[in-house]
Structures are given as structure tokens and as C-alpha cells.
Amino acid sequence: MSLWKLKGVSVEHRKNTAKMAPVSMPTPNSVTIPVNMHIGAPAVPTVKVNQEVSVGDLIAAPNGFVSAPIYASISGIVKKIDTIPTSMGGTTTAITIESDGEMRVSDTVKPPVVTNLAEFIEAVKQSGIVGLGGAGFPTAVKLSVKDLSQIKAVVINGAECEPYITSDTRTMLDDAQWMEKGFKLLEKFLQVKQIVVGIEKNKPECIAKMNEIATKDPVVSVKALPSLYPQGGEKVLIYHTIGAVVEEGKLPIDAGAIVLNCTTLAYIAKYIETGMPLVSKCVTVDGSAVAEPKNVIVPIGTRLGDVFDFCGGFKEEPKKVLYGGPMMGIAVQDLDAPILKNTNAIIAMNEKDAAPRKTTPCIRCGNCVDHCPLHLNPVSIAKALHDKDCDELKKLKVNLCMECGCCSFICPTAQPLVQNHKLAKGLLRANQAKEAKK
């Protein structure tokens, strides 16, 4: 335990939109909804071209245990079902719906009947909810714990440690009543005896709001966390809220914890009460190229270009656009990319902010080691990767890396350290597959 002292990096918060309540953008002319917006098997389309759909209609069904259903976010006509590129370099099937301008709600949208644990888990599954903090793991799978006595605590992630992003902040301020109902659902159906809400100290209003709930519910407590990135990383958050360590190759439940993003919890409560599945997201729109930063409620599948246009367009030509924040965000190819279930922000950077730093030789300063929240040694990992030494990579526990980017951020010589870790993990997977064939 003593090894797990607080580590990380201080980043500029740039929470420009923290005091901006979300505004709903007009219905877009069309949406393009990928069937793969979650970890696990892609959903399978259940609609055909020229079919009429309403908001909340099922358009793609889950394909396996680790999968999630997908619903129409606008009403209109299915214009095409084809493939689109993803930000990760692959392709995915996507369903394009042309709006009829009515935003007509489906007759199927009805509150689910939930009287026991099985019905609760099934309702969460049918909601289409996945990890909304960016991970995208199907929430129903995370909650499917066979032995409830394993759950020592549910940790609610309200850290929101990435620069710019404030969509979770707005959940805690504007949807606190839904979070409170979510706490009660966890207590009733998962028999949870401890719920800890972890929030960075730079969000005092959120801490106060959650403490209002905690004073009425003895199961709920609030942990004010130092404003140090990556405070919201799952392993980091678990340790700094309940003192448990998630060992290499283990899941949070192995340490007695379930971690839920605060917005994920609020959506669960909304679905249980209203029956409206996950069809829209609150998205922070910000960055040095954006004319009018806002928090925007957006139908899933909306073009990024349409969202930026709603925010006044660009005051400077964007040189890089990201899903998510500047530390762990994923660059998009163009503005035709759609808003996804797990999109909590889109950030557009000008030329100055997007310019890569010049890489120079490593000076062995040790900054990357000193600031890694999981106590890894990026320099040694880089050498083992260069040598293709899989045994050494295992010893160095590269698979523990959560790719937070602290090492690359703090490096004075701009070494591609987090990229090395991604490549090292890939090398280990390839080697493992090769060994399995022998």
C-alpha cells in the first residue's frame, strides 16, 4: 500500500464551460449511428433502408453478452446502412437516419417493470447505457455480479480530471436528483452498503451538491480528491476513494469495487423512470479554435460539424479535433464523424495548441517514472520494446498501463512513451497468440 502514494501531473484545468448549463441543439437533418459504440461485439442492425423510425426505436440489437442495443436518436427514414471509418483506424457499420423534423417518440418507450435484481440488470441492458465517461463498457455487464457480497463499495466517478471537459460537472449540478435516485436503485437491488462519490477539489459546487445528498443518505459519502491528473482513472480512483488496489490482470470487483461514471448513474435512473433509452448526450464543445464554447445536448449520431456550427463555428481553422480531452482524447479524421454514446466532449484546437513538440534524445531525467500513477518505468519499457523482449515487458507490467499520457506529458524531450506502451501491449498480444497456436 505504501507504494501507492499520490502520483500524476498537474494540468491546466481550462474548465471554461463549467458554469454553462447544457443547451439543446436543433434536430439535425440526419444522424449516422455506428453499431459499434461500446467495448465488445458490435450490435446487429434490425432495420432496413427506407424504414420509418421514431425516437427510441431499436435499430440494432446486442450480439452477445458483452454488447449493447442501439436506438434511433431522431425520427425519420433510414436512408442507408453502410460502413464508415472509425477514429481508431478501422471501419464499422452505421445506420443513417434522415430527419422528418418531428422528433416523434416511439410507442415502445415505456418505463420498464423493475421489482428485483434480474429485472434491474435487464432494464440497464435494454437501456443501451454504456460507460459514459469515455470507456464505453456495457453497464449491464459491469453490474452483473454473481455474488453481491463481493461488492464492498460502489465508487461514483465525478473526478472529471481532463482539461476542458465539464459535462459530468453539469450532471452533478443539474441532474443531482437523478443521481440520488440512482443511489437508491443501487442500494435496493445490489444491496450496496457503501457508495463513495469521488470529485476533484476544483469542483466545490459539485462537492457541495453531492454532500447535500450524503447528509440524507448514510450509505453515500463524498471524497474530495486532489486536483491531479489522472484522478479519474479507474485504478487510481478506487485507491484514492476506498484504499483498495486493483492488481494486474484483475477487475475492480476483485478489489471489492464497482466504478460507475456519474452521468452513467444518472442515465440509469432516468431510464428506469421514463423508459427513454440512451439516445442523446451532453457534450462539452470547447478548444482554442471554437467560437462559442458550450455544453450541448446532442442526438447520438449527429455530425461533429453540425455541433460545432451550433457553437458558432470556428474562430480559427482547427488543426486537430478530438473525441474527449487533450490527455486521452482520440483524433478524428474529419467533421463528418458522429457523436457516439461515450462522447463526453469534442475539442477543436488551433495550430498553436495542436503543434507536436519536437522530440530530442532521452536525458534519463526520470520524470516519467516519478509521475506515473501506476509506478511503471516507461524508459525500461521503451528499451524492452526496442529489443522485442516480451519476458521483460511482462516483468515491467506494461499491461498495467492505462495510457493516461502522464509520462509523455511530463517528458522534457517529448518521447512517445504512451505510444510505446500501446505498441508493447500489441507485441505481447501477438506473442501470446503465437504461443497459443503452438
Side-chain angles (χ1 to χ4, degrees), residues 104-154:
R104 181 181 59 257
V105 176
S106 172
D107 294 337
T108 63
V109 174
K110 298 176 182 178
V113 176
V114 179
T115 61
N116 55 48
L117 176 59
E119 290 175 348
F120 175 64
I121 298 298
E122 181 61 22
V124 175
K125 177 181 178 181
Q126 294 305 320
S127 72
I129 294 171
V130 301
L132 301 182
F137 190 80
T139 304
V141 178
K142 183 179 287 189
L143 297 179
S144 297
V145 180
K146 292 182 179 179
D147 181 3
L148 295 183
S149 67
Q150 281 186 280
I151 308 172
K152 306 305 180 187
V154 173

Side-chain angles (χ1 to χ4, degrees), residues 155-156 194 196-198 223 225 236-243:
V155 177
I156 305 299
Q194 182 184 18
V196 184
V197 187
K223 181 75 172 181
L225 303 167
V236 176
L237 185 67
I238 290 171
Y239 181 75
H240 291 148
T241 51
I242 65 172

Side-chain angles (χ1 to χ4, degrees), residues 11 13 15 160-165 200 229 324-329:
V11 295
H13 299 304
K15 304 289 189 178
E160 200 165 51
C161 55
E162 279 258 16
Y164 292 109
I165 307 175
E200 281 195 322
Y229 177 86
M327 296 299 289
M328 291 187 73

Side-chain angles (χ1 to χ4, degrees), residues 135-352:
F137 190 80
T139 304
V141 178
K142 183 179 287 189
L143 297 179
S144 297
V145 180
K146 292 182 179 179
D147 181 3
L148 295 183
S149 67
Q150 281 186 280
I151 308 172
K152 306 305 180 187
V154 173
V155 177
I156 305 299
N157 191 346
E160 200 165 51
C161 55
E162 279 258 16
Y164 292 109
I165 307 175
T166 64
S167 50
D168 282 346
T169 292
R170 295 317 310 181
T171 292
M172 289 183 281
L173 296 178
D174 305 324
D175 288 341
Q177 76 278 15
W178 289 115
M179 289 186 63
E180 185 172 6
K181 291 179 179 181
F183 296 147
K184 293 300 183 184
L185 290 169
L186 296 177
E187 293 168 33
K188 180 177 181 179
F189 295 114
L190 292 181
Q191 301 172 29
V192 175
K193 299 298 188 291
Q194 182 184 18
I195 297 173
V196 184
V197 187
I199 308 173
E200 281 195 322
K201 291 179 179 177
N202 64 353
K203 304 171 186 66
E205 292 181 348
C206 296
I207 292 171
K209 197 76 171 181
M210 292 298 106
N211 270 325
E212 288 178 17
I213 298 174
T215 58
K216 298 179 290 183
D217 188 341
V219 173
V220 179
S221 62
V222 180
K223 181 75 172 181
L225 303 167
S227 300
L228 191 70
Y229 177 86
Q231 196 64 259
E234 196 170 62
K235 292 182 176 69
V236 176
L237 185 67
I238 290 171
Y239 181 75
H240 291 148
T241 51
I242 65 172
V245 174
V246 180
E247 302 290 350
E248 183 181 13
K250 299 295 184 179
L251 298 172
I253 192 61
D254 296 314
I258 290 177
V259 179
L260 293 176
N261 169 265
C262 61
T263 302
T264 301
L265 179 67
Y267 266 97
I268 291 172
K270 286 181 186 179
Y271 177 74
I272 297 296
E273 189 161 312
T274 69
M276 179 59 75
L278 181 60
V279 295
S280 64
K281 279 297 303 294
C282 176
V283 177
T284 298
V285 185
D286 204 346
S288 50
V290 176
E292 302 170 13
K294 290 181 173 72
N295 284 306
V296 185
I297 297 174
V298 184
I300 290 169
T302 302
R303 286 181 64 250
L304 268 56
D306 291 341
V307 184
F308 283 119
D309 286 344
F310 177 68
C311 295
F314 300 113
K315 60 184 178 182
E316 297 181 53
E317 182 182 355
K319 291 298 181 181
K320 181 179 286 186
V321 175
L322 301 172
Y323 282 129
M327 296 299 289
M328 291 187 73
I330 303 296
V332 301
Q333 294 178 331
D334 55 51
L335 298 183
D336 287 332
I339 294 292
L340 308 174
K341 284 184 179 183
N342 57 340
T343 303
N344 54 7
I346 51 174
I347 308 298
M349 298 180 175
N350 62 17
E351 185 169 12
K352 178 183 176 182

